[in-house]
Amino acid sequence: MSKPRQLKFGAMVHGVGHGWGEWRHPDAQADASTNFDWYKGQARLAEAAKFDFVFIADSLHIHEKSSPHYLNRFEPLTILSALAATTSKIGLVATVTVSYTEPFQVARQISSLDHISGGRAGWNVVTSWLSGTAENFSKSEHPPHAVRYRIAREHVSAVKGLWDSWEDDAFTHNKQTGEFFDRSKLHALNHAGDFFQVKGPLNIARSRQGQPVLFQAGTSEDGRNFAAEYSDAIFVHAESLEEAQAYYADLKRRAVGFGRNPDDLSILPGIRPIVGRNADEVEQRYQQAVQLVSIEDAIGALGRPFNDHDFSQYPLDAPFPDLGDLGANSQKGGSDRIKQQAREQNLTLRQVALDFSRPRREFVGTPEQVADQIQHWFEHGASDGFIINSLLPDGLKSFTELVIPVLQQRGLQRTDYSGSTLREHFGLAFPVNRHTAVRLSAATKVTDAEQSKVPA
Amino acid sequence: MSKPRQLKFGAMVHGVGHGWGEWRHPDAQADASTNFDWYKGQARLAEAAKFDFVFIADSLHIHEKSSPHYLNRFEPLTILSALAATTSKIGLVATVTVSYTEPFQVARQISSLDHISGGRAGWNVVTSWLSGTAENFSKSEHPPHAVRYRIAREHVSAVKGLWDSWEDDAFTHNKQTGEFFDRSKLHALNHAGDFFQVKGPLNIARSRQGQPVLFQAGTSEDGRNFAAEYSDAIFVHAESLEEAQAYYADLKRRAVGFGRNPDDLSILPGIRPIVGRNADEVEQRYQQAVQLVSIEDAIGALGRPFNDHDFSQYPLDAPFPDLGDLGANSQKGGSDRIKQQAREQNLTLRQVALDFSRPRREFVGTPEQVADQIQHWFEHGASDGFIINSLLPDGLKSFTELVIPVLQQRGLQRTDYSGSTLREHFGLAFPVNRHTAVRLSAATKVTDAEQSKVPA
Ligand SMILES: Cc1cc2nc3c(=O)[nH]c(=O)nc-3n(C[C@H](O)[C@H](O)[C@H](O)COP(=O)(O)O)c2cc1C
Ligand SMILES: Cc1cc2nc3c(=O)[nH]c(=O)nc-3n(C[C@H](O)[C@H](O)[C@H](O)COP(=O)(O)O)c2cc1C
């Protein structure tokens, strides 16, 4: 590949934001989370800036102390299908859990989105980290962390198998003979595993990009291995350049260990840029965002990676409590890190909570400053691009209108789409259907055999 | 209500049609089933004609002998979400099974569609009639017919309960106080039944129409009772005016038995009109449709209500085979009828199969003739409207452009939408949230108690 390396960008489109009081900003639309016009507008901003994809996060369990973001929002596959109809090039990535779904349904709905959008679908594979989810899905218990990743492996394998049910040219549509499809190009999966039994075939053809693109966001040991083996892209939360670099090197190394080309695995940290036209505006915007984080909200948000643990029971200004194993069966990667940091830096609960919820200082600045930082991470082994988890009310607008042009001038971001599928945006090869591959390799063997008859 | 009674119309939007060779028509798009532009165009035709809704049928199991219609098609909730973005008034009805889904997921996705579309969603509740479906969903057996309807009752109750998780005015969004919602207006469901355990609450608000509209299509004894108790509309296959009248009277009577206003239950036979500008064109179009039904396709299609039974094993011109119980655990209503007809009229397998797949003579004619027949059924206790299961390539186009204007002139079909939700199109009252109802009735009781203090 002689093309210069370019950034990959995703827009995490959401309504009222993650875990703090963004919705209280005077200009914020408090009903944004179920407002289709808002989502449409955000997706169009991202497409105008030639982003690779929009990304919809998800979760399945709420209670009366859940933060606003989780309480009331669109389901990812339905909202992305609607956005497919109002956009034309940008990728559409849906977060869907493996712990409370059947592979047939997931394969089918994501493939349907892929067909509707002309090959722009992606699947962010998650395992669900809140044990209360089980009670919404007629299950007696939430599977333990390690089991969830075993489920993930099997689920994803079955889904990928179903996506190969039909070879790309299976539908012949011959009006003369009446042959609708070539029976030799339809394949039942017959998957029989520990968690799922899926006969197949899937009742939808392969899409234009062959198979949807896979995302993952696990940071634990199991999560990293899963991501390195299966994902095309990883959504990661990185606290600092050094942490991102370490994570980047680790994941690329693991990918190589699974026999993959490390360039085929994109590492995409999630960031929340705050952009102003000058230093004063930057500081004013930053302070406004900080002020919207109340300590009550921060305490609530902190519970999330710990299976929605209620931190309001502890004194705010005493050292961060000893939680024992708590969190290990939830967001293991994230909760381990919080505990470790609190211990190493001797932080109080208040400090940990505010630090967790307040906007960071990274990626805060003028357009040039933010572009510099992005370029620095990109060129120093910390990322292949970024997922913009924008602040309300106009975080995505100011980022796409102010920072993206700077990156485009520097040749780091495309000025137009060259492909039309998500896979093409990512520069990934078209995945050959497994059954077609067998057919081709059999044909090659015949050729080899015939050639071997030819005297050397 | 002083408004004159008007027809209700649904467009069953599909790609290559049900069970015969429509896709071989010279003008048919053979890839229509996964062609978003085709679906968009069909939905727009229906909206231009002021139809109440588009309807997407569904099934979940295929094999190499399945008919073209089933092999490769969009999943209903995703395609309808995309259509929500390209239409503005028409209702959007998704077929979703209760036998292979969890209430939380169904409630959430349909509600999400309802929010995306501004209150236009409907759910056609089906139980899945092909036993092979179990093998795609990690289940050891397909539940028996009667159990499927018990599952349906419990599933629908749980879904309706989840849809009432949030009272209509629960979200206060008070930026001053920081109150995002009123905690007294959020309700967990705590459903614990024979088939499902669902704690709730649902993570999406009530939509503009309160709850999505419910459809059903069962014709067996169990199916009828289920429909009469729960549905707002019934999709029925009727062979003749007399059969439709009997069904109509029966279902309305059952609805009354469940304490309902029979006007709140719409009976909508599915029909396949063939319209021509004059007698010659009608006959030519009819014959063309007949010729596209090959005996092989008809034999394949006939298997469908009998759990995809393979009829090619029997002699074509011998009397229709004795099938014993076959079909009773599949589409019981439909398969019983076929058996009975064959027996009563002494039909051969060929006759039964062709009769099953060939277009009927009803609703075939010039625009006035088709309008007359529709009016006759409507005014003689056979239907409250119709679901147009149109023939390729231009069945919906010719019906909406030729027949609808005649019905509009007669005052039987709206010339514009007066409401904007599906519930409003149907003239149904807004469903009061169950928890709000309790609150209101408690308030009334207080008033009563206070009034009783007043001397008479
Ligand atoms: C940046 C990031 C974003 C995530 N987004 C989601 C999400 O939208 N939905 C979800 O269920 N889990 C999400 N997760 C959780 C992980 O996907 C995973 O299910 C959970 O953290 C347990 O994995 P781990 O212990 O390997 O980190 C996210 C995690 C990270 C680090
Ligand atoms: C007109 C009509 C349309 C139907 N459409 C569907 C459908 O799209 N998907 C489905 O799974 N079942 C469909 N069914 C089947 C029924 O919903 C039901 O699941 C099955 O027939 C068993 O019920 P019964 O024995 O009461 O008729 C349809 C039935 C009728 C009569």
Side-chain angles (χ1 to χ4, degrees):
Chain A
M1 287 227 319
S2 58
K3 261 212 263 174
R5 184 168 165 255
Q6 284 194 322
L7 284 155
K8 297 185 175 82
F9 276 113
M12 185 159 174
V13 178
H14 52 70
V16 297
H18 291 246
W20 68 79
E22 279 176 69
W23 64 275
R24 295 175 72 179
H25 188 290
D27 299 332
Q29 255 176 277
D31 74 343
S33 298
T34 52
N35 185 319
F36 179 45
D37 285 335
W38 165 261
Y39 274 73
K40 208 156 56 176
Q42 296 290 105
R44 285 192 178 150
L45 284 175
E47 189 165 71
K50 316 301 175 193
F51 273 38
D52 294 83
F53 59 93
V54 300
F55 181 97
I56 308 283
D58 198 41
S59 65
L60 288 164
H61 170 68
I62 60 165
H63 52 81
E64 60 169 26
K65 291 194 173 174
S66 299
S67 46
H69 176 60
Y70 299 99
L71 290 170
N72 174 28
R73 56 170 163 178
F74 291 124
E75 182 280 330
L77 287 161
T78 45
I79 187 63
L80 285 166
S81 298
L83 293 177
T86 63
T87 55
S88 60
K89 295 285 186 182
I90 197 162
L92 305 159
V93 182
T95 298
V96 179
T97 182
V98 292
S99 303
Y100 296 97
T101 54
E102 281 289 326
F104 193 90
Q105 179 74 351
V106 172
R108 189 179 179 218
Q109 290 197 317
I110 295 176
S111 182
S112 188
L113 170 63
D114 211 17
H115 279 272
I116 291 166
S117 62
R120 297 186 279 137
W123 174 21
N124 178 35
V125 180
V126 298
T127 64
S128 292
W129 77 93
L130 292 175
S131 63
T133 316
E135 299 171 72
N136 284 337
F137 284 87
S138 311
K139 291 267 159 54
S140 55
E141 62 148 18
H142 185 58
H145 188 267
V147 176
R148 297 207 299 277
Y149 277 109
R150 282 179 52 214
I151 293 175
R153 286 203 152 67
E154 197 184 315
H155 195 300
V156 170
S157 306
V159 166
K160 289 179 71 68
L162 288 169
W163 283 338
D164 277 355
S165 294
W166 298 90
E167 295 184 51
D168 298 284
D169 56 353
F171 290 98
T172 45
H173 295 159
N174 188 326
K175 290 188 181 182
Q176 259 51 54
T177 62
E179 186 197 68
F180 191 69
F181 71 100
D182 176 348
R183 286 197 183 179
S184 72
K185 294 185 174 169
L186 168 62
H187 306 275
L189 177 63
N190 293 315
H191 170 87
D194 293 342
F195 304 102
F196 305 106
Q197 292 76 45
V198 190
K199 183 157 176 219
L202 191 63
N203 54 352
I204 187 162
R206 270 193 138 213
S207 90
R208 188 157 159 190
Q209 65 175 345
Q211 294 204 349
V213 172
L214 294 187
F215 282 62
Q216 222 272 331
T219 51
S220 65
E221 184 66 20
D222 281 342
R224 288 176 189 221
N225 281 333
F226 177 78
E229 185 171 358
Y230 289 97
S231 307
D232 301 304
I234 302 179
F235 178 15
V236 55
H237 173 79
E239 289 284 305
S240 64
L241 175 64
E242 295 67 35
E243 192 183 305
Q245 285 168 327
Y247 185 84
Y248 187 96
D250 179 54
L251 267 287
K252 296 275 181 173
R253 190 180 45 71
R254 289 181 202 241
V256 171
F258 285 108
R260 300 179 60 192
N261 177 347
D263 294 343
D264 288 349
L265 173 64
S266 295
I267 317 283
L268 308 175
I271 60 173
R272 312 204 87 186
I274 297 180
V275 192
R277 281 161 217 270
N278 52 53
D280 278 358
E281 196 181 290
V282 170
E283 195 54 26
Q284 182 228 316
R285 282 175 166 255
Y286 179 77
Q287 289 306 337
Q288 190 170 30
V290 166
Q291 266 144 40
L292 286 171
V293 183
S294 73
I295 181 67
E296 293 77 26
D297 288 346
I299 286 290
L302 185 65
R304 203 78 185 164
F306 297 90
N307 194 29
D308 270 357
H309 185 61
D310 184 2
F311 277 100
S312 69
Q313 66 191 286
Y314 307 108
L316 276 172
D317 296 303
F320 188 74
D322 180 359
L323 299 169
D325 236 13
L326 198 79
N329 195 27
S330 188
Q331 284 193 24
K332 178 159 171 46
S335 58
D336 278 356
R337 189 192 22 218
I338 293 168
K339 288 186 207 165
Q340 192 191 340
Q341 227 169 29
R343 198 171 47 242
E344 287 176 3
Q345 302 174 28
N346 247 316
L347 304 173
T348 64
L349 173 58
R350 184 192 301 272
Q351 287 170 320
V352 171
L354 290 177
D355 185 61
F356 182 72
S357 274
R358 278 187 178 160
R360 320 203 69 74
R361 279 282 179 185
E362 281 86 32
F363 305 97
V364 172
T366 61
E368 275 71 24
Q369 287 170 336
V370 174
D372 286 349
Q373 230 185 326
I374 284 175
Q375 181 165 3
H376 190 79
W377 281 47
F378 182 59
E379 293 179 347
H380 292 82
S383 89
D384 296 307
F386 295 89
I387 294 185
I388 307 301
N389 179 4
S390 54
L391 265 167
L392 288 189
D394 62 352
L396 188 61
K397 188 160 189 291
S398 61
F399 182 79
T400 55
E401 291 181 359
L402 300 175
V403 181
I404 287 290
V406 179
L407 295 168
Q408 286 173 328
Q409 274 160 22
R410 298 184 189 175
L412 293 170
Q413 162 71 349
R414 66 168 72 83
T415 53
D416 203 356
Y417 292 103
S418 55
S420 55
T421 67
L422 177 52
R423 200 168 278 284
E424 285 163 3
H425 301 338
F426 271 12
L428 294 168
F430 183 88
V432 177
N433 182 302
R434 65 190 66 189
H435 305 289
T436 311
V438 169
R439 191 191 300 279
L440 292 176
S441 91
T444 313
K445 273 187 208 130
V446 171
T447 314
D448 288 353
E450 277 169 3
Q451 279 179 344
S452 72
K453 285 186 220 152
V454 181
Chain B
M1 287 226 319
S2 60
K3 262 211 260 170
R5 184 169 164 254
Q6 284 194 323
L7 285 156
K8 298 184 174 83
F9 276 113
M12 184 157 173
V13 178
H14 51 70
V16 297
H18 291 247
W20 68 79
E22 280 176 69
W23 65 274
R24 296 176 69 181
H25 188 291
D27 299 332
Q29 254 177 277
D31 74 342
S33 297
T34 50
N35 184 319
F36 180 45
D37 286 335
W38 165 260
Y39 274 72
K40 208 156 58 175
Q42 295 291 105
R44 283 191 180 153
L45 284 174
E47 188 165 72
K50 317 299 175 195
F51 273 39
D52 294 82
F53 60 93
V54 299
F55 181 97
I56 308 283
D58 198 41
S59 64
L60 288 164
H61 169 69
I62 60 165
H63 51 82
E64 60 169 26
K65 290 193 173 177
S66 300
S67 44
H69 176 61
Y70 299 98
L71 290 171
N72 174 27
R73 57 170 162 177
F74 290 125
E75 183 279 331
L77 287 161
T78 43
I79 186 65
L80 285 166
S81 298
L83 293 177
T86 63
T87 55
S88 59
K89 295 285 187 183
I90 197 162
L92 305 159
V93 182
T95 298
V96 179
T97 184
V98 292
S99 303
Y100 297 97
T101 54
E102 282 289 325
F104 193 89
Q105 178 75 350
V106 172
R108 188 179 180 217
Q109 290 197 318
I110 295 177
S111 181
S112 188
L113 170 63
D114 212 17
H115 279 272
I116 292 166
S117 62
R120 297 187 280 137
W123 175 22
N124 178 37
V125 180
V126 298
T127 65
S128 291
W129 77 92
L130 293 175
S131 64
T133 317
E135 298 171 73
N136 285 336
F137 285 86
S138 313
K139 290 267 157 56
S140 53
E141 62 149 18
H142 185 57
H145 189 267
V147 175
R148 297 207 300 275
Y149 277 108
R150 283 179 52 214
I151 293 173
R153 284 201 154 67
E154 196 183 315
H155 195 299
V156 171
S157 305
V159 167
K160 287 179 71 69
L162 287 170
W163 283 337
D164 276 356
S165 295
W166 297 91
E167 295 185 52
D168 298 284
D169 56 353
F171 290 97
T172 45
H173 295 159
N174 188 327
K175 290 187 181 183
Q176 258 52 53
T177 63
E179 186 197 67
F180 191 69
F181 71 100
D182 176 348
R183 286 196 183 180
S184 73
K185 294 184 174 170
L186 168 62
H187 306 276
L189 177 64
N190 292 316
H191 171 86
D194 293 342
F195 304 102
F196 305 106
Q197 292 77 45
V198 190
K199 183 157 179 219
L202 192 63
N203 54 352
I204 186 164
R206 270 194 137 212
S207 91
R208 189 158 159 188
Q209 65 173 346
Q211 292 205 350
V213 173
L214 293 188
F215 282 62
Q216 221 273 328
T219 52
S220 65
E221 185 65 20
D222 281 343
R224 287 176 191 222
N225 280 332
F226 178 78
E229 185 171 357
Y230 289 96
S231 306
D232 301 303
I234 302 179
F235 178 14
V236 54
H237 172 77
E239 289 285 304
S240 64
L241 175 64
E242 296 67 35
E243 193 182 304
Q245 286 168 326
Y247 184 85
Y248 188 96
D250 179 54
L251 267 285
K252 296 278 181 169
R253 191 178 46 68
R254 289 182 203 240
V256 172
F258 284 108
R260 299 180 59 192
N261 177 348
D263 294 344
D264 287 348
L265 174 63
S266 296
I267 317 282
L268 307 175
I271 59 173
R272 310 204 87 184
I274 297 180
V275 192
R277 281 161 215 270
N278 53 51
D280 278 359
E281 196 180 290
V282 170
E283 195 56 25
Q284 183 228 314
R285 281 175 166 255
Y286 179 75
Q287 290 305 337
Q288 189 170 31
V290 166
Q291 266 144 40
L292 287 173
V293 183
S294 73
I295 182 66
E296 294 76 26
D297 287 346
I299 287 290
L302 185 65
R304 203 79 185 164
F306 298 90
N307 194 30
D308 271 357
H309 185 60
D310 183 2
F311 278 100
S312 69
Q313 65 191 287
Y314 307 108
L316 275 173
D317 296 304
F320 188 75
D322 180 0
L323 300 168
D325 237 14
L326 198 80
N329 196 26
S330 186
Q331 284 193 20
K332 177 159 172 47
S335 58
D336 279 356
R337 192 197 13 223
I338 293 168
K339 288 185 205 165
Q340 192 190 340
Q341 229 171 26
R343 198 169 48 238
E344 287 176 4
Q345 301 175 29
N346 247 316
L347 304 172
T348 63
L349 173 59
R350 185 192 301 273
Q351 287 170 320
V352 170
L354 289 177
D355 185 62
F356 182 74
S357 273
R358 279 186 177 160
R360 322 204 68 74
R361 276 284 180 185
E362 281 86 32
F363 305 97
V364 172
T366 62
E368 275 71 23
Q369 287 170 335
V370 174
D372 287 349
Q373 231 185 324
I374 283 176
Q375 183 166 1
H376 190 77
W377 281 48
F378 182 58
E379 293 179 345
H380 291 81
S383 89
D384 296 308
F386 295 89
I387 294 185
I388 307 302
N389 178 4
S390 55
L391 266 166
L392 290 189
D394 62 352
L396 187 60
K397 189 162 192 288
S398 61
F399 182 80
T400 54
E401 291 181 359
L402 301 175
V403 182
I404 286 291
V406 179
L407 295 167
Q408 286 173 327
Q409 273 159 23
R410 297 182 189 176
L412 294 170
Q413 161 71 348
R414 65 169 72 84
T415 53
D416 204 355
Y417 293 103
S418 55
S420 55
T421 67
L422 176 53
R423 200 167 278 283
E424 286 163 2
H425 301 338
F426 271 13
L428 294 168
F430 183 88
V432 177
N433 183 303
R434 65 191 65 189
H435 305 289
T436 311
V438 169
R439 189 191 300 278
L440 292 177
S441 91
T444 313
K445 273 187 208 129
V446 171
T447 316
D448 288 353
E450 276 168 4
Q451 278 177 345
S452 71
K453 286 185 218 151
V454 181

